[in-house]
Amino acid sequence: MNVVLLGAGGFLGAHLHRGLSDAGHRVVSFAGTGAGGLDLASAAPGRIAVAVADALGDPDGTDHGAVVNAAGRAWNTDEAGMRAGNAELPARVVRALALLARPPRLVQLGTVHEYGAGTSGTPTPETSPPAPVTPYGRTKLLGTEAVLAAAVTGRVSGTVLRIANVAGPGAPTGSLLGSVAARLTAVAHALDTAPDGGAGRTPVELRLPPLRAWRDFVDVRDVTDAVLRTLTAPLDRVSGRVINIGGGAAVHTRELVQRLVDLSGLPVRTVEETVPGAPARHDTEWQQLDITRAAELLGWHPGHSLDHALRDLLAASSAGNGTAGRTTR
């Protein structure tokens, strides 16, 4: 299949590009800008339609192909930036695809944060009404709604994969796990370059904000597998549907961070503290996805354990920093 991948330069996008290519698909990546310097964030739908059709090798739009939208903004931006990347871009892409004679199928990557607060001890199914409480969740939900509305009217065959918090090699430093892995790598580097190799040192303190929430995590490679299965699933089964993709379990973030520290093998002690003047978090205490629909429609189940994801995250962080392999115990 010919696949246009939006957001190929990001964490998810990079893994998707590799997975799609390994599966034999021909991938054309739009990492912020497309062919000929096309700016997807501001281009008119007509220009995007021409670029997508050309990238799919079918300027007349008579062959399906697929578009996977892994673009989005979560960190280092304000709500306006999130709206541009998470809501306006998907809506523009939907309008562009609808202009083609036979639009390619569209796979939109949504987020668990679209649901808002979950019920403690209970997995959230796709039938649960979304009620996001963060700018990220609100803007991603707008993107989801644009795709589903187009699918309902038959203008585009679109599926939304609503994804849990993603773990695995390359997790961005703006995320909890990516940030902790980067800081552990820095500790390892400091110990490795110390004159005595860090022998006899007291544990290093890793200061973090209070870790109270329970979160559902999924390995980034399992997300890739879910996208691959969606691309080949019968359209009449998946178009217009939201499908949860997650680990299917809630993990306490304090225990998760401690497990990452334990796997690193480093003398680190975590300290939770509230920073005076820090903005209050408006987030949810419980996130757990019901992944029954993914099994029924896609035959998908998570294939990587959380330990597997954490070990590979540490190894990738160490390799990227040029440190020794002490963080892969």
Side-chain angles (χ1 to χ4, degrees):
M1 181 182 293
N2 292 337
V3 180
V4 168
L5 176 60
L6 309 181
F11 168 49
L12 279 173
H15 280 275
L16 283 170
H17 189 284
R18 186 179 307 114
L20 289 165
S21 298
D22 289 347
H25 299 298
R26 174 181 172 269
V27 185
V28 178
S29 296
F30 286 8
T33 58
L38 177 67
D39 184 357
L40 293 172
S42 60
R47 289 195 63 202
I48 296 176
V50 171
V52 168
D54 184 60
L56 291 174
D58 181 44
D60 296 325
T62 56
D63 183 39
H64 281 290
V67 174
V68 177
N69 183 22
R73 297 180 182 176
W75 297 284
N76 302 318
T77 188
D78 56 12
E79 186 161 357
M82 291 184 189
R83 179 178 289 271
N86 302 335
E88 295 171 7
L89 176 58
R92 190 178 294 110
V93 169
V94 165
R95 292 196 297 272
L97 299 185
L99 295 173
L100 301 177
R102 295 180 63 195
R105 69 166 70 197
L106 172 63
V107 179
Q108 165 78 8
L109 301 191
T111 173
V112 62
H113 295 279
E114 295 173 39
Y115 285 122
T119 301
S120 181
T122 304
T124 302
E126 292 86 349
T127 53
S128 180
V133 296
T134 63
Y136 179 64
R138 288 192 293 270
T139 55
K140 287 292 287 184
L141 179 59
L142 291 172
T144 287
E145 290 172 343
V147 172
L148 296 181
V152 167
T153 60
R155 291 182 294 136
V156 172
S157 297
T159 305
V160 176
L161 301 183
R162 194 165 275 162
I163 300 169
N165 301 277
V166 184
T173 55
S175 67
L176 172 64
L177 294 181
S179 171
V180 172
R183 293 168 69 179
L184 290 173
T185 297
V187 170
H189 179 70
L191 294 176
D192 287 342
T193 56
D196 61 352
R201 289 188 58 176
T202 57
V204 177
E205 287 190 347
L206 184 65
R207 296 188 173 274
L208 298 165
L211 300 170
R212 304 189 183 100
W214 295 76
R215 291 287 181 265
D216 191 325
F217 282 87
V218 63
D219 191 288
V220 65
R221 291 154 296 192
D222 287 329
V223 175
T224 296
D225 181 45
V227 171
L228 289 169
R229 290 171 182 267
T230 305
L231 290 177
T232 57
L235 279 175
D236 61 354
R237 289 176 60 83
V238 299
S239 183
R241 308 295 294 270
V242 172
I243 304 174
N244 288 342
I245 301 297
V251 181
H252 200 287
T253 49
R254 180 179 297 117
E255 296 177 1
L256 188 67
V257 168
Q258 187 57 53
R259 182 57 179 160
L260 195 58
V261 171
D262 292 344
L263 288 171
S264 77
L266 295 168
V268 169
R269 180 171 68 90
T270 60
V271 177
E272 298 177 40
E273 59 182 2
T274 301
V275 179
R281 286 186 63 95
H282 299 284
D283 213 333
T284 60
E285 293 290 325
W286 182 274
Q287 289 178 343
Q288 180 186 3
L289 290 177
D290 183 334
I291 56 176
T292 304
R293 182 177 290 182
E296 293 174 347
L297 298 182
L298 305 177
W300 179 90
H301 302 272
H304 295 78
S305 69
L306 197 48
D307 259 19
H308 190 176
L310 297 180
R311 290 177 189 275
D312 288 352
L313 169 60
L314 288 167
S317 181
S318 297
N321 195 58
T323 58
R326 71 158 74 218
T327 59
T328 57
R329 191 179 74 180

